[in-house]
Amino acid sequence: MDLFELTLYELHTKLKSREVSSREATSAMLNRISASDARFNAFITVTPEKALADADAADKRIAAGEMSTLTGIPLALKDIFLTEGILTTCGSRILNNFIPPYSATSYEKLKEQGVVLLGKLNQDEFAMGSSNESSASGVVHNPWNTDCIPGGSSGGSAAAIAARQATATLGTDTGGSIRQPASHCGCVGLKPTYGRVSRYGVIAYASSLDQVGPLTRDVTDSAIMLQAIAGHDSKDSTSVNIAVPDYRAALTGDIKGLKIGLPKEYFIAGLDPDVQAAMDNTIATYRRLGAEFVDISLPHTDYAVATYYLIATAEASANLARYDGVRFGHRAEQTEGLLEMYSKSRSQGFGTEVKRRIMLGTYALSSGYYDAYYVKAQKVRTLIMRDFIQAFEGVDVILTPVAPTPAFKIGEKFNDPLQMYLSDIFTIPVNLAGTCAMSLPAGLSSNGLPIGVQLIAKPFGEETILRAAHAFEQATEWHTMKAPL
Ligand code: GLN
């Protein structure tokens, strides 16, 4: 089997036994990227020299017997992660020349373990989108069908896994941006609990919702990646100081008696029949494995999308105020005076969707509308949180679809923001509640596109998700399906 086909754990085993070197695995990935990325556009920046230098350093560590599970593994990061000395654009023209002076904590943690950085992955501009069509670096094509979107905003992170261009990747999820592209590209995508992984050095979109997580080929790899990045960070005051469990130890295969909730609000009329079929099959599999199903209700689900688009845009309008052309990023030329310099730099640097959101958020925060919109949205957010707290009194996990449809065609929703926003109807409530969830491959549509299902657990219940997902994976073949090369 080609080295780029291996899971992280399989590659680790071969590195450990010295059957292959990190240089060989890294070269295989770099060749695969250069042979295929003209079709997918998953990468914004490829860093071949750094990758080979990282690989050689890893091979030395391995020879000295100092390896961890991640030593020598070729990874790639969404372009939202700051990487010292390496271009970091966040998919935006306004950062098209930005070389960060330091790196994100999550990347630092991976570096300590000796990973190889292949490059930076394409994404929607400032992580605003569900289709990876809003990137200043162009659309990403879904490896399963290049006429389709890969999902967003971590579209490059999901496409690179599906296209076998990286062994694992990191993405971020504010309203679904790890889970929805994972579902559309047939990979495992985990959004940890808010506070589980440091956000330090991750370009902020909506700070009370953003969270870092892995996209991988299977559940074991997801556990390995989460293990490496989880934990308290003194540089992020919202990261939580509670012990990080041994996530791989959670992969016991035993889910007898696990109580799974099915929220009635998520089984809406008009759900795509292929998505419904994937849900039905998943329920049948879990029943066979000894899980029990409970009908539950998350009564405020209907308000989640509206609530999210008030809170996320309000926070974005504040976070994006720093891009003014003064200290870094794009600066307009030939302007008269400071105000014109700000306004021209920002009009030239930001794309349409980002501008729309800055305006929406500024409006929601303006005096006169603050109480009517922003404060109201915060109250509804609390109700949505309570829905989950109540539900988890009776169940261990909640099972739902990830997205209402499989991947749609490029261009299909781009000019219809409301339709686009509805792509995240099943993922957004999890971010508002601050809890954790995973997208897990669980089906194939009639036209051959992957479909994921979502497992949600209570805050810091990642072990339960991993255990349930792993048991499903052991019993099914979905995670072994692959996009054509
Ligand atoms: N699609 C949602 C949005 O556009 C979620 C994006 C995300 O999770 N970063 O805001």
Short mmCIF file of all heavy atoms in Angstrom, two decimals, residues 78 124 129-132 142-144 149-159 162 171-173 175-189 215 402-403 407 424 427 439 450 452:
data_model
loop_
_atom_site.label_atom_id
_atom_site.label_comp_id
_atom_site.label_asym_id
_atom_site.label_seq_id
_atom_site.Cartn_x
_atom_site.Cartn_y
_atom_site.Cartn_z
N LYS A 78 -4.96 23.97 9.00
CA LYS A 78 -5.78 25.03 8.42
C LYS A 78 -5.02 26.35 8.51
O LYS A 78 -4.28 26.58 9.49
CB LYS A 78 -7.08 25.09 9.24
CG LYS A 78 -8.15 26.03 8.74
CD LYS A 78 -9.40 25.91 9.63
CE LYS A 78 -10.55 26.77 9.14
NZ LYS A 78 -11.77 26.64 9.99
N ASP A 124 -12.50 28.76 4.19
CA ASP A 124 -13.29 29.96 3.94
C ASP A 124 -12.62 31.14 4.62
O ASP A 124 -11.98 31.00 5.67
CB ASP A 124 -14.71 29.79 4.50
CG ASP A 124 -15.60 29.01 3.56
OD1 ASP A 124 -15.80 29.46 2.42
OD2 ASP A 124 -16.09 27.93 3.96
N GLY A 129 -18.10 30.41 6.52
CA GLY A 129 -18.67 29.75 5.36
C GLY A 129 -18.86 28.27 5.61
O GLY A 129 -18.37 27.73 6.61
N SER A 130 -19.58 27.62 4.70
CA SER A 130 -19.87 26.20 4.83
C SER A 130 -19.51 25.46 3.55
O SER A 130 -19.92 24.32 3.35
CB SER A 130 -21.37 26.00 5.08
OG SER A 130 -21.78 26.81 6.16
N SER A 131 -18.75 26.12 2.66
CA SER A 131 -18.51 25.50 1.35
C SER A 131 -17.10 25.71 0.83
O SER A 131 -16.75 25.21 -0.22
CB SER A 131 -19.49 26.09 0.33
OG SER A 131 -19.22 27.48 0.16
N ASN A 132 -16.31 26.43 1.56
CA ASN A 132 -14.95 26.79 1.12
C ASN A 132 -14.95 27.49 -0.25
O ASN A 132 -14.05 27.31 -1.06
CB ASN A 132 -14.03 25.56 1.10
CG ASN A 132 -12.60 25.91 1.51
OD1 ASN A 132 -12.03 25.28 2.40
ND2 ASN A 132 -12.02 26.94 0.92
N ASN A 142 -14.17 18.99 -3.84
CA ASN A 142 -14.32 17.76 -3.06
C ASN A 142 -13.68 16.59 -3.80
O ASN A 142 -14.05 16.31 -4.94
CB ASN A 142 -15.83 17.49 -2.84
CG ASN A 142 -16.08 16.38 -1.85
OD1 ASN A 142 -15.39 15.35 -1.85
ND2 ASN A 142 -17.07 16.57 -0.99
N PRO A 143 -12.74 15.88 -3.18
CA PRO A 143 -12.06 14.77 -3.86
C PRO A 143 -13.00 13.65 -4.32
O PRO A 143 -12.68 12.90 -5.24
CB PRO A 143 -11.07 14.25 -2.82
CG PRO A 143 -10.81 15.44 -1.94
CD PRO A 143 -12.12 16.18 -1.88
N TRP A 144 -14.17 13.53 -3.71
CA TRP A 144 -15.13 12.49 -4.13
C TRP A 144 -15.81 12.87 -5.43
O TRP A 144 -16.26 12.00 -6.18
CB TRP A 144 -16.19 12.28 -3.05
CG TRP A 144 -15.64 11.68 -1.80
CD1 TRP A 144 -14.96 12.33 -0.81
CD2 TRP A 144 -15.70 10.31 -1.41
NE1 TRP A 144 -14.61 11.45 0.17
CE2 TRP A 144 -15.05 10.20 -0.17
CE3 TRP A 144 -16.26 9.15 -1.99
CZ2 TRP A 144 -14.94 8.98 0.50
CZ3 TRP A 144 -16.15 7.96 -1.32
CH2 TRP A 144 -15.50 7.87 -0.10
N ILE A 149 -18.66 21.00 -3.49
CA ILE A 149 -17.92 21.66 -2.42
C ILE A 149 -17.43 20.60 -1.43
O ILE A 149 -18.05 19.53 -1.29
CB ILE A 149 -18.79 22.71 -1.69
CG1 ILE A 149 -20.08 22.07 -1.15
CG2 ILE A 149 -19.18 23.85 -2.63
CD1 ILE A 149 -20.13 21.82 0.28
N PRO A 150 -16.34 20.89 -0.71
CA PRO A 150 -15.86 19.95 0.30
C PRO A 150 -16.52 20.21 1.65
O PRO A 150 -16.28 19.49 2.61
CB PRO A 150 -14.37 20.27 0.39
CG PRO A 150 -14.31 21.75 0.14
CD PRO A 150 -15.43 22.06 -0.85
N GLY A 151 -17.35 21.26 1.74
CA GLY A 151 -17.83 21.75 3.02
C GLY A 151 -16.87 22.81 3.54
O GLY A 151 -15.80 23.02 2.99
N GLY A 152 -17.31 23.49 4.60
CA GLY A 152 -16.44 24.54 5.12
C GLY A 152 -16.75 24.82 6.57
O GLY A 152 -17.69 24.25 7.12
N SER A 153 -15.99 25.63 7.26
CA SER A 153 -14.91 26.35 6.64
C SER A 153 -13.60 25.59 6.54
O SER A 153 -12.73 26.00 5.76
CB SER A 153 -14.67 27.64 7.43
OG SER A 153 -14.19 27.34 8.73
N SER A 154 -13.44 24.47 7.27
CA SER A 154 -12.17 23.72 7.17
C SER A 154 -12.19 22.80 5.96
O SER A 154 -11.89 21.60 6.06
CB SER A 154 -11.93 22.92 8.45
OG SER A 154 -12.14 23.70 9.61
N GLY A 155 -12.52 23.35 4.79
CA GLY A 155 -12.66 22.54 3.57
C GLY A 155 -11.34 21.92 3.14
O GLY A 155 -11.29 20.74 2.75
N GLY A 156 -10.25 22.68 3.23
CA GLY A 156 -8.95 22.14 2.85
C GLY A 156 -8.52 21.03 3.80
O GLY A 156 -7.93 20.04 3.38
N SER A 157 -8.85 21.19 5.10
CA SER A 157 -8.45 20.18 6.09
C SER A 157 -9.14 18.84 5.82
O SER A 157 -8.55 17.78 6.04
CB SER A 157 -8.82 20.65 7.51
OG SER A 157 -8.22 21.90 7.81
N ALA A 158 -10.39 18.89 5.37
CA ALA A 158 -11.13 17.66 5.08
C ALA A 158 -10.73 17.10 3.72
O ALA A 158 -10.51 15.89 3.58
CB ALA A 158 -12.63 17.94 5.11
N ALA A 159 -10.60 17.99 2.72
CA ALA A 159 -10.24 17.53 1.37
C ALA A 159 -8.86 16.88 1.38
O ALA A 159 -8.64 15.86 0.70
CB ALA A 159 -10.29 18.69 0.39
N ALA A 162 -9.23 13.34 2.54
CA ALA A 162 -9.89 12.52 1.52
C ALA A 162 -8.98 12.29 0.33
O ALA A 162 -8.99 11.22 -0.29
CB ALA A 162 -11.19 13.18 1.08
N GLY A 171 -8.35 21.47 12.14
CA GLY A 171 -9.29 22.49 11.68
C GLY A 171 -9.79 23.27 12.88
O GLY A 171 -9.36 23.05 14.01
N THR A 172 -10.73 24.17 12.64
CA THR A 172 -11.42 24.85 13.74
C THR A 172 -12.92 24.80 13.45
O THR A 172 -13.34 24.66 12.30
CB THR A 172 -11.00 26.33 13.89
OG1 THR A 172 -11.30 27.01 12.66
CG2 THR A 172 -9.53 26.46 14.22
N ASP A 173 -13.69 24.89 14.53
CA ASP A 173 -15.14 24.71 14.43
C ASP A 173 -15.82 25.76 15.31
O ASP A 173 -15.66 25.76 16.52
CB ASP A 173 -15.47 23.29 14.90
CG ASP A 173 -16.90 22.86 14.63
OD1 ASP A 173 -17.81 23.64 14.95
OD2 ASP A 173 -17.11 21.74 14.13
N GLY A 175 -19.18 26.84 14.21
CA GLY A 175 -20.60 26.49 14.07
C GLY A 175 -20.76 25.19 13.29
O GLY A 175 -21.87 24.84 12.88
N GLY A 176 -19.66 24.49 13.06
CA GLY A 176 -19.73 23.24 12.30
C GLY A 176 -18.55 23.01 11.39
O GLY A 176 -18.50 22.02 10.65
N SER A 177 -17.59 23.92 11.44
CA SER A 177 -16.53 23.94 10.42
C SER A 177 -15.55 22.78 10.44
O SER A 177 -14.74 22.66 9.53
CB SER A 177 -15.74 25.23 10.53
OG SER A 177 -16.42 26.25 9.85
N ILE A 178 -15.58 21.93 11.47
CA ILE A 178 -14.82 20.67 11.40
C ILE A 178 -15.78 19.56 10.95
O ILE A 178 -15.49 18.78 10.05
CB ILE A 178 -14.20 20.31 12.77
CG1 ILE A 178 -13.05 21.28 13.10
CG2 ILE A 178 -13.70 18.86 12.77
CD1 ILE A 178 -12.47 21.11 14.50
N ARG A 179 -16.95 19.52 11.59
CA ARG A 179 -17.85 18.38 11.39
C ARG A 179 -18.51 18.34 10.02
O ARG A 179 -18.64 17.28 9.40
CB ARG A 179 -18.93 18.40 12.49
CG ARG A 179 -18.39 18.08 13.87
CD ARG A 179 -19.31 18.57 14.96
NE ARG A 179 -19.24 20.02 15.10
CZ ARG A 179 -20.19 20.78 15.63
NH1 ARG A 179 -21.30 20.23 16.05
NH2 ARG A 179 -20.04 22.09 15.72
N GLN A 180 -18.94 19.49 9.52
CA GLN A 180 -19.65 19.49 8.23
C GLN A 180 -18.71 19.11 7.08
O GLN A 180 -19.04 18.23 6.29
CB GLN A 180 -20.36 20.84 8.06
CG GLN A 180 -21.24 20.97 6.84
CD GLN A 180 -20.58 21.84 5.78
OE1 GLN A 180 -19.39 22.11 5.83
NE2 GLN A 180 -21.36 22.26 4.80
N PRO A 181 -17.49 19.69 6.97
CA PRO A 181 -16.59 19.21 5.91
C PRO A 181 -16.14 17.76 6.13
O PRO A 181 -15.97 17.02 5.15
CB PRO A 181 -15.40 20.18 5.97
CG PRO A 181 -15.54 20.98 7.20
CD PRO A 181 -16.97 20.91 7.62
N ALA A 182 -15.98 17.34 7.38
CA ALA A 182 -15.63 15.93 7.62
C ALA A 182 -16.72 15.03 7.06
O ALA A 182 -16.45 14.02 6.40
CB ALA A 182 -15.44 15.67 9.12
N SER A 183 -17.97 15.41 7.28
CA SER A 183 -19.09 14.63 6.77
C SER A 183 -19.09 14.59 5.25
O SER A 183 -19.28 13.53 4.63
CB SER A 183 -20.40 15.26 7.29
OG SER A 183 -21.53 14.63 6.72
N HIS A 184 -18.84 15.73 4.61
CA HIS A 184 -18.87 15.80 3.15
C HIS A 184 -17.67 15.13 2.48
O HIS A 184 -17.71 14.85 1.29
CB HIS A 184 -18.94 17.26 2.70
CG HIS A 184 -20.27 17.91 2.97
ND1 HIS A 184 -21.41 17.20 3.27
CD2 HIS A 184 -20.65 19.21 2.98
CE1 HIS A 184 -22.42 18.04 3.45
NE2 HIS A 184 -21.98 19.26 3.29
N CYS A 185 -16.59 14.94 3.22
CA CYS A 185 -15.39 14.34 2.63
C CYS A 185 -15.09 12.95 3.18
O CYS A 185 -14.06 12.36 2.87
CB CYS A 185 -14.17 15.24 2.84
SG CYS A 185 -14.25 16.77 1.88
N GLY A 186 -15.97 12.42 4.03
CA GLY A 186 -15.78 11.04 4.51
C GLY A 186 -14.66 10.88 5.51
O GLY A 186 -13.99 9.85 5.52
N CYS A 187 -14.42 11.88 6.35
CA CYS A 187 -13.42 11.66 7.40
C CYS A 187 -14.03 11.85 8.78
O CYS A 187 -15.20 12.23 8.92
CB CYS A 187 -12.17 12.51 7.20
SG CYS A 187 -12.36 14.14 6.55
N VAL A 188 -13.22 11.56 9.79
CA VAL A 188 -13.66 11.71 11.17
C VAL A 188 -13.27 13.11 11.63
O VAL A 188 -12.10 13.49 11.55
CB VAL A 188 -12.98 10.64 12.07
CG1 VAL A 188 -13.31 10.88 13.54
CG2 VAL A 188 -13.41 9.24 11.63
N GLY A 189 -14.23 13.90 12.08
CA GLY A 189 -13.95 15.27 12.51
C GLY A 189 -14.46 15.48 13.93
O GLY A 189 -15.64 15.26 14.20
N LEU A 215 -9.05 16.42 12.16
CA LEU A 215 -9.74 15.67 11.10
C LEU A 215 -8.80 14.52 10.73
O LEU A 215 -7.62 14.74 10.46
CB LEU A 215 -10.03 16.55 9.88
CG LEU A 215 -11.06 17.65 10.15
CD1 LEU A 215 -10.38 18.97 10.43
CD2 LEU A 215 -12.02 17.79 8.97
N VAL A 402 -25.30 15.21 10.51
CA VAL A 402 -24.35 16.33 10.58
C VAL A 402 -24.86 17.49 9.73
O VAL A 402 -24.83 18.65 10.14
CB VAL A 402 -22.95 15.90 10.07
CG1 VAL A 402 -21.99 17.07 10.07
CG2 VAL A 402 -22.41 14.76 10.92
N ALA A 403 -25.32 17.16 8.55
CA ALA A 403 -25.78 18.18 7.61
C ALA A 403 -27.06 17.67 6.95
O ALA A 403 -27.26 16.46 6.84
CB ALA A 403 -24.71 18.46 6.57
N ALA A 407 -22.75 16.68 0.19
CA ALA A 407 -22.09 17.84 -0.42
C ALA A 407 -22.89 18.34 -1.62
O ALA A 407 -23.33 17.56 -2.45
CB ALA A 407 -20.68 17.46 -0.85
N ASP A 424 -25.65 24.44 8.44
CA ASP A 424 -25.09 24.14 9.77
C ASP A 424 -26.16 24.00 10.84
O ASP A 424 -25.86 24.06 12.03
CB ASP A 424 -24.11 25.24 10.17
CG ASP A 424 -22.98 25.35 9.18
OD1 ASP A 424 -22.34 24.32 8.92
OD2 ASP A 424 -22.75 26.44 8.64
N THR A 427 -25.29 21.44 13.46
CA THR A 427 -23.99 21.52 14.14
C THR A 427 -23.89 22.74 15.07
O THR A 427 -23.20 22.68 16.08
CB THR A 427 -22.83 21.58 13.12
OG1 THR A 427 -23.12 22.56 12.11
CG2 THR A 427 -22.61 20.23 12.46
N SER A 439 -18.19 14.12 13.89
CA SER A 439 -18.79 13.62 12.66
C SER A 439 -18.05 12.35 12.27
O SER A 439 -16.82 12.31 12.24
CB SER A 439 -18.66 14.67 11.55
OG SER A 439 -19.05 14.11 10.32
N PRO A 450 -19.94 10.77 0.41
CA PRO A 450 -19.99 10.29 1.80
C PRO A 450 -20.98 11.08 2.65
O PRO A 450 -21.26 12.24 2.38
CB PRO A 450 -18.56 10.52 2.30
CG PRO A 450 -17.98 11.55 1.41
CD PRO A 450 -18.66 11.43 0.09
N GLY A 452 -21.92 11.73 6.87
CA GLY A 452 -21.52 11.52 8.26
C GLY A 452 -22.71 11.62 9.19
O GLY A 452 -23.73 12.22 8.87
#
